[in-house]
Amino acid sequence: MSHHTFDKPGLTLLGLGAMGTALARAWLTAGHPLTVWNRTPGRAEPLAAEGATVARTAAEAVAANRLVVVCLLDGASVDAVLADADLTGKDLVDLTTGTPDRARAHAALVHERGARFLDGGIMAVPPMIGAPSSGAYVFYSGSRALFDTHREALTRPAGARYVGEDAGFAALHDVALLSAMTGMFAGVSHAFALIRKENIGPTAFAPLLADWLVAMSGSVHLTAAQLADGDYTREVASNLAMQVAGSATLLRTAEDQGVRSELLTPYLALLERLLADGRGDEGTTGVVDLLVR
Ligand code: NDP
């Protein structure tokens, strides 16, 4: 709009879903000239009113700027949208969630088409985008030169953590954090199930649960230190023999409360395998080795 100074470099954004729209607003607010395109054109209209240039086709949007960011549903939609675009000389940043192998294959393809490539994994939900205090950030991997060239624009919507030249590393970091979160969500579901039928209010219980998870999260540093030096008995406060004995209490309580234990049993079975291997004086770090095929 008129008060934009336009001294900032312009960029193109393909994909105006929930996340793309949040990214677009962050760039427009910061004064970056922005060209947008979306398969369903109606989603671009509010952004046009906020100062975005709306391209008629994806190829036209790509042609408008050297820096091209895509944030679409999945890899297939990215391939479809970029099919007709001339990528020669472009700096392509893909913020679409995908696997590490997809990112590596896509990087190779994009290089063949004459562009530099940076993959990104967004560690935020849309309301956190463009809010500097939200803690939102994006893992980036691939071309360091691309990242350095466009660092100013790339860090407008959220913080940035560049994790390596291997294009797959951003996705790998993203998926590793999401996988740990999945285990946490499973444990939280189990905990609420245990109190479900009792006169314990979930809203009174929630802060106890949240504080406990935060307190226990520090254990990842001990696990890391043990993995790094290979000594799994170092500084063990809760040894495996004790934990396996405690598992019986967890399972018995689940049964008594009428709660399915299927979220706990696969993990507890791995602890029992370690104990059976004579590793009762270690902690739980050996599970990592059991998981790796
Ligand atoms: P939405 O479902 O809101 O938007 C999906 C976008 O993809 C739309 O622009 C849609 O276009 C487009 N699209 C889907 N299929 C095609 C296709 N075949 N051809 C062209 N365009 C297509 O998703 P989000 O914006 O929430 O997510 C986008 C990416 O961001 C995903 O990879 C997601 O994993 C990631 N992400 C999202 C987070 C979130 O909390 N929302 C958090 C972190 C990452 P159309 O409008 O025409 O349907």
Side-chain angles (χ1 to χ4, degrees), residues 14-21 23 37-41 43 70-78 80-81 94-98 121-127 174 178:
L14 306 176
L16 300 172
M19 186 55 84
T21 297
L23 295 169
W37 175 87
N38 192 65
R39 178 182 61 178
T40 305
R43 292 181 109 164
V70 295
C71 186
L72 296 161
L73 184 66
D74 55 15
S77 47
V78 174
V81 164
D94 189 356
L95 299 182
T96 306
T97 303
I122 303 173
M123 304 312 296
V125 292
D174 183 350
L178 294 180

Side-chain angles (χ1 to χ4, degrees), residues 1-286:
M1 310 226 339
S2 55
H3 57 269
H4 287 158
T5 51
F6 294 119
D7 54 351
K8 303 224 167 83
L11 72 155
T12 286
L13 173 64
L14 306 176
L16 300 172
M19 186 55 84
T21 297
L23 295 169
R25 291 227 154 87
W27 279 310
L28 289 171
T29 302
H32 284 273
L34 182 70
T35 299
V36 296
W37 175 87
N38 192 65
R39 178 182 61 178
T40 305
R43 292 181 109 164
E45 279 167 23
L47 295 168
E50 293 167 40
T53 302
V54 182
R56 283 176 300 119
T57 65
E60 186 184 301
V62 170
N65 290 291
R66 177 169 165 201
L67 175 59
V68 176
V69 178
V70 295
C71 186
L72 296 161
L73 184 66
D74 55 15
S77 47
V78 174
D79 291 342
V81 164
L82 293 179
D84 298 329
D86 180 2
L87 297 184
T88 313
K90 297 297 174 183
D91 284 343
L92 185 69
V93 179
D94 189 356
L95 299 182
T96 306
T97 303
T99 67
D101 280 358
R102 151 75 196 181
R104 289 172 184 134
H106 194 213
L109 210 77
V110 166
H111 290 154
E112 276 172 32
R113 292 173 67 181
R116 296 194 292 189
F117 181 75
L118 189 67
D119 199 62
I122 303 173
M123 304 312 296
V125 292
M128 293 164 72
I129 298 297
S133 61
S134 70
Y137 70 89
V138 180
F139 283 121
Y140 287 106
S141 66
S143 170
R144 173 91 216 189
L146 188 170
F147 179 72
D148 289 341
T149 304
H150 301 291
R151 187 181 203 123
E152 207 272 335
L154 291 176
T155 51
R156 279 296 162 184
R161 301 199 183 179
Y162 178 83
V163 290
E165 292 274 348
D166 183 325
F169 277 12
L172 188 55
H173 282 73
D174 183 350
V175 170
L177 296 197
L178 294 180
S179 298
M181 178 187 75
T182 301
M184 183 184 78
F185 286 168
V188 166
S189 301
H190 187 87
F192 277 118
L194 286 176
I195 65 160
R196 185 79 169 132
K197 291 183 196 153
E198 307 292 352
N199 187 22
I200 300 173
T203 52
F205 181 68
L208 305 175
L209 183 52
D211 288 353
W212 180 247
L213 291 173
V214 169
M216 289 300 102
S217 70
S219 70
V220 303
H221 300 294
L222 179 58
T223 302
Q226 292 180 341
L227 287 169
D229 75 8
D231 176 7
Y232 294 180
T233 61
R234 146 186 184 164
E235 290 171 57
V236 169
S238 314
N239 71 51
L240 200 66
M242 180 280 281
Q243 291 203 52
V244 171
S247 305
T249 303
L250 302 196
L251 295 173
R252 182 59 198 256
T253 303
E255 194 174 326
D256 292 348
Q257 295 298 117
V259 169
R260 267 185 263 280
S261 58
E262 66 199 63
L263 294 177
L264 296 184
T265 44
Y267 182 70
L268 298 180
L270 293 171
L271 298 189
E272 278 174 31
R273 261 180 68 189
L274 289 175
L275 185 63
D277 285 347
R279 301 168 69 170
D281 59 342
E282 297 181 3
T284 57
T285 300

